[in-house]
Each structure stands twice: as structure tokens, then as C-alpha cells.
Amino acid sequence: MPTAIEFFKLLPKTNCKDCGQPTCLAFAMLLANQKAKIDDCPHISKDSKDALEESSAPPIRTVVLGKGSEVRMGGETVLHRHERGFINPTAYAVTVSDKENIRNRIETIKKLRFERVGMVFETDMVSVRCDSGDPKVFRDAVVLVMELWEKPFALECCASVLESALSAASSRRPLIYHANTENFDDMVALSKKYSCPLVLRDPNMGSLAGLADKAKAMGVDDIVLDTGAANLKECVEKHTIARRAAIKKRFKQFGYPLMNRVGSGEYAVAIAAVSTMKYGSLVIFDDLKSYEALPLFTLRQNIYTDPQVPIQVKQGLYPIGEPNEHSPIFFTANFSLTYFTVRADIEKSKIPVWLQIVDTEGLSVLTAYSAGKFNPEHVAKALNDSGVLSKSDGIVVIPGLVARMSSKLRELLDREVIIGTTESRDIPKFLKNLKPPR
Amino acid sequence: MDGGEGASCAEHASADMSDTMKIPDVSEKYPGKIGEIVLGKGDYIAGGSDGMPLLSFENTCKRRMMIAGEVVDDLTDYPELAASMFNGRQKDPVEWSLMWKSIGADMICLRLKGTDPDKGKTTEYASELVERIADATQLPVIVYGCGIPEVDDNLMKEISNSVKNRRLVLAKADEEGHKTISSAAIAGKHALIAFSNLDLNLAKQMNIVLTDFGVQRSDILMDPLMAPLGMGLDYSYSVNERIRLAALSGDKMLQIPMICDATGAWDVGDAVNDDDADLGDVVNRVTWWETMTAMAAMASGADIVIMRGPGAADMILGYADELRCD
Ligand code: SF4
């Protein structure tokens, strides 16, 4: 991001106030803080605007695949997630061969889907691969995939076979995989002709940079880089070199999303895990099993979570659904993961609940209890302060892990207190078995 | 389905060197370096990195992350699924430790759950067990108590006194208590784990408290709490990375080798749930869950990782071996 002074230098400096700011300098300061858009100044010259847009673009280009349903790759600005967080999560693609039964295959891929803690995990893309070597077979396969699969896809094929399929698919903006030193000119020409993003692949980092330089010069903007990492070590090191070069040294040839093409099975999943932690924007698998996919999706969710989200939630009353004057009252610790998990499990039951969050300094239920930060007095005070006890005459449910505080709490609150589940995931069953409010 | 890429798409390394660009040097020289800790009979050393994890182009320390295999002396609360992976050898902690050695573990992490007064194992039994495991395996041993402070204090004193000639790792000193265990470690020349709750400043504070008490920095392993995959791994990953960056930038009180416990993966519902066929085979799933937790620990700076499942340990051993900075 340019500084306020760098912005100021490119503004007309007439202080005409048309941007709504008193001076050009004030406007420049807003720009530097990303609180205004360059277009808000109607008088800026085209050259200045281009210069500004170029220097304010993120060091890693955002490449968008698909139409309607999109996958966004890149757009990253930092090397470590704690600095500002990573932006566009790693996408996972599974291969569809043009020699297999495409309907069955797409069906199977669609089944790789999980709903977890209010989030849906599913395969982001397919990669249609030409194994037939026949342009007609490949084109038919791609057309059928487009009918069955709404989300983005990649086309994996040789330059000689690609065009007929690409001409049928270009409106969906597929990712072309891939150009290398052998087929470079043909692939670049196709990428330009159909304006579809292009993967450049070369196991040598120097030649990969050379390819990126040449492709850009020839007019391809949407580039994705495959470092040809053959193992975990190459994946970590090549991705780190590329990303550090782009972000710290402004080495433009590496300012693009990174990807991996792996096979299937244990080692493929291990590379995908490393790629997910280390700057990978896309991993294409031959195949992915559900017991591999769920941990991998979860890893991606963890790595791409906004790091600014505090680890604690505020003490207070959180109504779930539309609880009434008889709805049950749950309470738990203010460790954000505890909160999110309990909340999601209550939501799953579809039964309205008053959820009281008690300030435990961000500790989880058991840790807080043994540290003396989650005792009956403390809980009773939180319940009284929030007013929930006058909002509902429902029973109070104690987290199963701290069942020991039940008698004391019953005494302090003077109302029915029952022991809930030890595991959050058992809450829906528990709630359904709870007798309905009077 | 068909494997392999179409024959006409075979990959060629670029031959034309004229198009090769010079890549900027991105390796960093840091003013700081992680300290080293000597374990066992002096034959095991952890720590010593002078760059970010897994980067051979900047980290000159060629050591790989060490793996500690978890053993418990009482199986009451130990997951059956995990127990089923050890072919019955989990019933004898010494046998179990030997199995860990054959899997390739570098250390044993012994949890003395049986010393809980409800279970009734004595401190004498416990310290004898530590000795037997250390003798049988010749591996360094990490010793956890049962979790009840008064019992553990006694236990650590006893073990520290009776196990000589080898350096154990006593676990753990934390906010709630550090004096007894620190004294025990100092008296027996053992190492100890400094535990803190997911926060760089708390981790640093714990190290300061221990060194102020008289523990040498080279006797401390820090455990900043490795939250498992799907249950806060994001926090741990960043806390670990920030600790490593601060240490390399010169913060002496963070230049202490890091130990991460990946066994928390077994507490995650999605990892061990056996009632939803859509989630896939549970053995493979929990194995991946623990492996990915350990991979995240390794990528963010762990020098030692504690593992429960033999399959996961085998996988992470292979990956750690490949990713040592040779
Ligand atoms: S509109 Fe442009 S020229 Fe006018 S004050 Fe704002 S920044 Fe300056």
C-alpha cells in the first residue's frame, strides 16, 4: 500500500473539495488508510490513476475462476496469518477423466460434503482431464461436466487438444492447466483468445519466473503458478521463496497464486496440508476420500480464519432462536471456541434457548473451573446481571463437565437446575429429550 | 479411473536457460537462535534452530522434530479406539514403550494417571516404572502426574530423587504451581515443561518465573498449548509462529525449545465420531486429525511433539524426517 505522501504526489493538489474532503492531503490520508477510493477524486489524471492502482494492488494478484459460482485465488498481503490474516482460502479440486463415466464421477464428488459448526465444506472445483487424447471426446466430456457441475473447474490437457473444449467452456472461465516451456506459445495464445486464467508450471524457480515474465509481457494477467513441487520439502520451500519474493522484495513474477497438482492417497494429502498452511491457493487431486477431506477442510478453515477475531466472547446473554419466558437457560465459558461449538449444537436442535456466556477470561469450561474462574457464585452473578432469570422461568442447564457446582448453584438461584451433557455434540439429543416448557 | 497424465503432455525441465530469471535471495539472518536442551543420557538434543521452521535455506540446524510416544499406566480414561491400535501391548507400560521405540519414537511420554488416589498406584510404583521404561527403551522420558496438584508435587519429588543418571522431563510447571516441581527438577538435574495457555506473553512470563526461581533456561521446554485441529489450532499456530519470530529476533526469554501435544486431536468430535458414515473410516480420520495437528505444530515451530496414535506417529515421523533442514 502506498503512503499518504505517495498518494498526495499523484493528486491534482487543487484542494477543490469535490471528493468531499477539505484538501487533497486529507483525501490522500483516507486513501492510505483504505477509507476512500481513488475514483472519488474526479480530477485525477489517467496516468496517475494507473500508477496508483498498480502500486496499491495487493502483492499477490487475485485470480477469479468460474462464472456465477466463483473461486477466488490469491489477493494475499502477508507472510504470516497473525499479521492480518490470509484472504482467499485454498481451493480443493478433484479430477474427472474424459475416459470415465462422468455422471457417476460428478455424483461421487458431490457427495464429498460436510456440514460442521454452521459451515458447509464441499469440493470447490473439478479438474476435467484429457486422458483420451481426442479433442472431440474431451470437448463432450467438458460440455457434460458443465451441465452437471455449477462450480468452477479446470481443464487439464495438451495445447493441441484444448481449443475445441475451451471454446465451449470459456464463458465459465475455467482454469487452463498448464503451460510449460514446451507448449508455452500455444497455451498463452489460447488463454488470451478465450480470456481464461492460465497455470504456468516449471520445477525450476528461475524458469518459472521467466515464464511468468514472458506471459505477462504477452498480455496474460490472470496467472497461477505451479512450482512442480514433488514433495513436502519442495512445497514448503518453493512456496515460501515465491511468497517472500513477492511480498518482501516485490518480485512481480511471483506475485500470483500458487498451486499444486498431486495424485491421491496419503502423501498427496500430506502435500495438500503443507500447501494449505504455506501459501497454496489450489490443490488438484486425482481423488480425495472423506476421511482425508474432513481434516483437510478443517485445517483450511483454521488457517484462513480471521486472526483478529478475539479468543474471548463478551459476557452476556445470547438468545438462540426465539426463546420465550419458559425456555431453558444454558450457560458456558467465554472461550470463543466453546461458545461457537455450544451455539452451533444448540442451533442444530432447533429448540430456542437462552445462552448465558460467563466471563472466564477466555478459558475453556474445565480449565476455568480448575482455575477457580468458573464457580457457582460467579455464574449466579452473571445470570442475575443479564436479567435472564426474569426473562424466563425455565430450568438452568449446567455444563456436564462442571456438574459438581449443581447443588451450590441451585441454592444460589433458587430454581430448578439440571446437569447437561459433557460433550457439546450431545446437546441436540439432550434438548429434544427435555420436557417441553410448561 | 485412469492415472497419469496424457503421454503427449510429459513434463520437460526447461532446457532454455536464456529465459531463466534470477530469484531474489529471501533467506533471513536473525539475531537470535533457539537454545538447546539435552535429554536422556545426553544422547538426545532438541532445539537449536536459527531460522523459521522447515526452511533449509535459512535454518542451519539440521535436527528434525522429535516424536514422543504417549504411554499411560491406567487405561480407564484412555480411548478404546487408540488402545485397539497397540495389539494388547498397551496393557504393560514397559511393553508399550518398547513398541513405541520400534515405531521409531525418540522419546516416551508417560502419564501416571494411576497415581490418582482413586486408582491407588503408589509413588514408589510410579518412579520404578519410570526407571524401567527408561532402562528398557534407553529413550528420554517425559513424566506427567495424574493432574491432582498435591499428589503430583509428591510424585515429582520422589521421581526426581530416585531416577538418577538420566535427564527426565518433569511435567508440568504452570500458573497454578511451579515451585515444587522446579525444586524437584533442579535437585535431580532434570528438565521440566513450562506450560502456558495459548498466549505469547503468558509463555514468556512462565519462562521468566521459572528462571527467576533458579531453573536454567537450558532445562526448560515450553508448552504454549497446542490446540487441536478444529478446536483452536488457528490460535496455536499463530502463537507458536509469533513465539518463534520473537525468539529469532532476540527475545532471550522465548529462545526455549517448544514441545507440542498433538494428542488433543483425540478429543475432537469430528475426529473420533463413529456414528456418521459420511465422515469416512474413523481410524483413518483420527489418524489424519492427529497427523495434521502435528504437522501444524511442526510448521509453526515445535521441536518435540507428543503423539498418541501409532499410525499418526509413523506418518509424522516420515514427514519430519523429510522436512529436517538438510
Ligand atoms: S477532488 Fe481531487 S483535486 Fe479535489 S480536493 Fe479532492 S483530491 Fe484534491
Side-chain angles (χ1 to χ4, degrees):
Chain A
M1 207 64 199
T3 63
I5 293 301
E6 282 158 358
F7 276 116
F8 179 65
K9 282 188 189 146
L10 294 165
L11 291 173
K13 302 187 201 65
T14 54
N15 298 339
C16 74
K17 302 189 175 62
D18 286 351
C19 58
Q21 295 306 312
T23 62
C24 293
L25 183 61
F27 182 65
M29 283 160 79
L30 288 187
L31 286 175
N33 291 321
Q34 288 160 285
K35 296 223 168 81
K37 296 188 301 300
I38 296 165
D39 289 336
D40 293 346
C41 166
H43 311 296
I44 190 163
S45 73
K46 171 106 177 48
D47 285 355
S48 299
K49 201 178 146 190
D50 288 350
L52 279 174
E53 265 167 4
E54 167 139 359
S55 63
S56 58
I60 308 302
R61 183 175 174 86
T62 305
V63 174
V64 183
L65 314 179
K67 274 276 158 60
S69 166
E70 293 178 343
V71 161
R72 302 176 72 82
M73 306 169 75
E76 304 299 340
T77 58
V78 296
L79 289 169
H80 304 102
R81 61 182 294 285
H82 64 82
E83 294 165 56
R84 202 182 301 152
F86 298 142
I87 315 281
N88 291 311
T90 318
Y92 303 121
V94 178
T95 305
V96 177
S97 165
D98 69 349
K99 280 172 79 178
E100 67 189 330
N101 182 320
I102 287 169
R103 275 180 203 283
N104 291 349
R105 181 68 182 153
I106 296 277
E107 202 56 24
T108 313
I109 294 171
K110 282 187 175 168
K111 280 203 188 111
L112 211 57
R113 182 182 192 281
F114 314 97
E115 271 188 63
R116 286 285 162 289
V117 201
M119 288 198 50
V120 178
F121 295 148
E122 44 191 14
T123 319
D124 307 286
M125 290 174 62
V126 295
S127 181
V128 195
R129 186 173 66 196
C130 173
D131 289 323
S132 66
D134 180 337
K136 166 108 181 42
V137 174
F138 187 54
R139 181 192 166 102
D140 290 349
V142 170
V143 169
L144 183 54
V145 166
M146 285 165 63
E147 200 184 302
L148 302 169
W149 181 262
E150 300 84 46
K151 293 204 273 180
F153 54 92
L155 299 178
E156 254 183 281
C157 126
C158 315
S160 55
V161 175
L162 180 63
E163 182 156 13
S164 110
L166 185 59
S167 64
S170 64
S171 65
R172 292 272 300 269
R173 233 180 123 66
L175 178 67
I176 303 171
Y177 189 89
H178 62 264
N180 55 28
T181 50
E182 302 291 307
N183 63 13
F184 187 77
D185 291 335
D186 294 341
M187 283 295 198
V188 164
L190 288 170
S191 159
K192 278 179 64 182
K193 180 167 173 194
Y194 295 97
S195 41
C196 289
L198 177 66
V199 178
L200 306 176
R201 173 172 165 127
D202 199 303
N204 177 298
M205 294 295 275
S207 349
L208 184 62
L211 290 184
D213 201 55
K214 240 164 75 181
K216 169 84 183 154
M218 290 164 76
V220 181
D221 289 327
D222 287 325
I223 295 171
V224 174
L225 303 174
D226 179 351
T227 62
N231 53 45
L232 302 176
K233 187 184 179 66
E234 284 187 14
C235 182
V236 177
E237 296 196 338
K238 288 175 161 182
H239 283 199
T240 304
I241 289 169
R243 196 46 56 92
R244 279 190 187 177
I247 288 183
K248 299 185 85 163
K249 312 275 180 185
R250 286 271 162 178
F251 185 70
K252 290 208 175 80
Q253 290 75 8
F254 284 160
Y256 299 103
L258 300 165
M259 67 158 290
N260 304 79
R261 178 66 170 97
V262 299
S264 60
E266 185 207 309
Y267 200 66
V269 175
I271 291 182
V274 165
S275 182
T276 301
M277 292 187 279
K278 290 291 166 192
Y279 317 126
S281 291
L282 168 67
V283 181
I284 303 179
F285 294 89
D286 277 349
D287 204 4
L288 190 61
K289 299 207 166 59
S290 42
Y291 61 74
E292 300 162 338
L294 183 56
L296 193 57
F297 288 157
T298 309
L299 179 67
R300 166 179 76 183
Q301 184 198 21
N302 282 173
I303 296 296
Y304 281 86
T305 305
D306 182 356
Q308 320 289 359
V309 172
I311 192 157
Q312 305 181 17
V313 281
K314 261 174 67 191
Q315 171 163 321
L317 185 61
Y318 295 76
I320 302 177
E322 280 172 19
N324 62 22
E325 65 275 19
H326 304 306
S327 296
I329 302 166
F330 276 57
F331 66 89
T332 194
N334 79 332
F335 182 38
S336 60
L337 291 158
T338 308
Y339 165 73
F340 288 125
T341 314
V342 169
R343 177 174 188 107
D345 287 322
I346 293 176
E347 280 169 352
K348 232 181 264 168
S349 77
K350 304 214 161 51
I351 295 172
V353 163
W354 297 100
L355 176 60
Q356 173 72 47
I357 294 301
V358 182
D359 183 2
T360 54
E361 295 169 28
L363 299 178
S364 63
V365 170
L366 261 194
T367 321
Y369 182 76
S370 39
K373 285 169 182 147
F374 197 47
N375 55 42
E377 290 78 10
H378 198 141
V379 171
K381 184 166 183 325
L383 289 167
N384 278 311
D385 289 353
S386 76
V388 62
L389 297 172
S390 53
K391 287 191 169 77
S392 167
D393 61 4
I395 50 170
V396 173
V397 180
I398 298 195
L401 289 170
V402 290
R404 275 171 287 184
M405 67 162 79
S406 65
S407 55
K408 181 76 190 169
L409 192 65
R410 196 171 291 128
E411 185 188 312
L412 288 169
L413 296 179
D414 190 25
R415 85 156 64 184
E416 197 182 345
V417 167
I418 63 165
I419 294 162
T421 64
T422 313
E423 294 288 337
S424 176
R425 64 171 187 268
D426 297 328
I427 288 177
K429 214 192 303 160
F430 172 86
L431 269 171
K432 277 170 195 145
N433 292 334
L434 209 61
K435 57 179 184 325
R438 279 151 290 169
Chain B
M1 60 171 294
D2 280 32
E5 294 175 37
S8 52
C9 295
E11 179 164 279
H12 300 274
S14 61
D16 185 1
M17 294 304 283
S18 62
D19 286 336
T20 294
M21 291 186 73
K22 196 173 156 15
I23 309 300
D25 178 11
V26 296
S27 65
E28 301 273 349
K29 295 274 168 292
Y30 302 93
K33 176 177 183 323
I34 310 301
E36 292 183 338
I37 188 164
V38 180
L39 301 166
K41 291 184 159 172
D43 43 357
Y44 284 83
I45 300 173
S49 284
D50 56 1
M52 286 304 277
L54 316 182
L55 303 179
S56 63
F57 57 79
E58 73 177 26
N59 190 348
T60 63
C61 175
K62 303 307 175 199
R63 232 163 251 147
R64 75 152 159 76
M65 179 175 74
M66 286 163 72
I67 280 84
E70 181 194 56
V71 167
V72 297
D73 68 338
D74 181 292
L75 294 165
T76 323
D77 299 321
Y78 185 80
E80 267 172 45
L81 179 61
S84 72
M85 296 174 174
F86 291 98
N87 305 327
R89 291 176 80 177
Q90 76 282 2
K91 287 177 187 141
D92 173 1
V94 178
E95 269 297 300
W96 194 357
S97 304
L98 284 168
M99 184 161 170
W100 271 119
K101 185 171 187 177
S102 65
I103 290 166
D106 309 285
M107 301 177 78
I108 301 299
C109 174
L110 176 63
R111 301 193 204 267
L112 293 162
K113 303 269 189 194
T115 58
D116 182 318
D118 290 347
K119 310 256 169 67
K121 298 229 163 93
T122 64
T123 51
E124 293 72 34
Y125 156 86
S127 58
E128 216 177 281
L129 180 58
V130 174
E131 192 110 54
R132 279 165 57 217
I133 288 177
D135 283 344
T137 60
Q138 297 294 316
L139 296 178
V141 182
I142 304 166
V143 188
Y144 278 86
C146 65
I148 302 171
E150 310 80 64
V151 178
D152 288 351
D153 278 353
N154 243 325
L155 187 65
M156 293 301 154
K157 261 192 263 177
E158 168 79 27
I159 291 172
S160 172
N161 260 327
S162 55
V163 182
K164 304 261 196 270
N165 311 322
R166 50 175 29 108
R167 265 161 72 75
L168 304 170
V169 181
L170 306 182
K172 58 195 180 165
D174 59 17
E175 232 184 356
E176 270 83 66
H178 68 275
K179 293 196 171 135
T180 314
I181 193 169
S182 300
S183 307
I186 294 169
K189 301 196 169 58
H190 298 298
L192 86 170
I193 288 179
F195 176 83
S196 54
N197 208 331
L198 265 182
D199 183 283
L200 178 143
N201 292 315
L202 292 179
K204 180 170 173 175
Q205 185 57 32
M206 201 60 228
N207 294 337
I208 293 173
V209 165
L210 292 184
T211 46
D212 283 354
F213 189 80
V215 181
Q216 297 298 309
R217 276 195 295 151
S218 55
D219 290 338
I220 306 174
L221 277 174
M222 70 171 143
D223 174 359
L225 199 170
M226 187 67 210
L229 184 61
M231 285 233 301
L233 179 132
D234 40 334
Y235 296 113
S236 291
Y237 189 83
S238 287
V239 166
N240 293 356
E241 276 197 324
R242 289 176 55 219
I243 286 177
R244 173 62 82 87
L245 283 167
L248 293 176
S249 311
D251 190 334
K252 287 212 156 29
M253 276 306 159
L254 289 171
Q255 290 168 356
I256 287 175
M258 190 186 292
I259 183 165
C260 289
D261 185 349
T263 66
W266 289 77
D267 297 330
V268 181
D270 284 345
V272 295
N273 254 357
D274 205 5
D275 48 19
D276 184 351
D278 287 349
L279 306 189
D281 173 68
V282 68
V283 171
N284 284 313
R285 181 154 31 91
V286 72
T287 297
W288 267 121
W289 216 275
E290 190 176 17
T291 303
M292 285 193 198
T293 303
M295 290 174 90
M298 174 164 71
S300 59
D303 296 287
I304 303 174
V305 67
I306 302 171
M307 301 297 290
R308 177 170 293 164
D314 185 51
M315 279 157 70
I316 194 68
L317 256 165
Y319 306 156
D321 221 23
E322 186 194 320
L323 288 166
R324 74 167 69 194
C325 292
D326 274 351

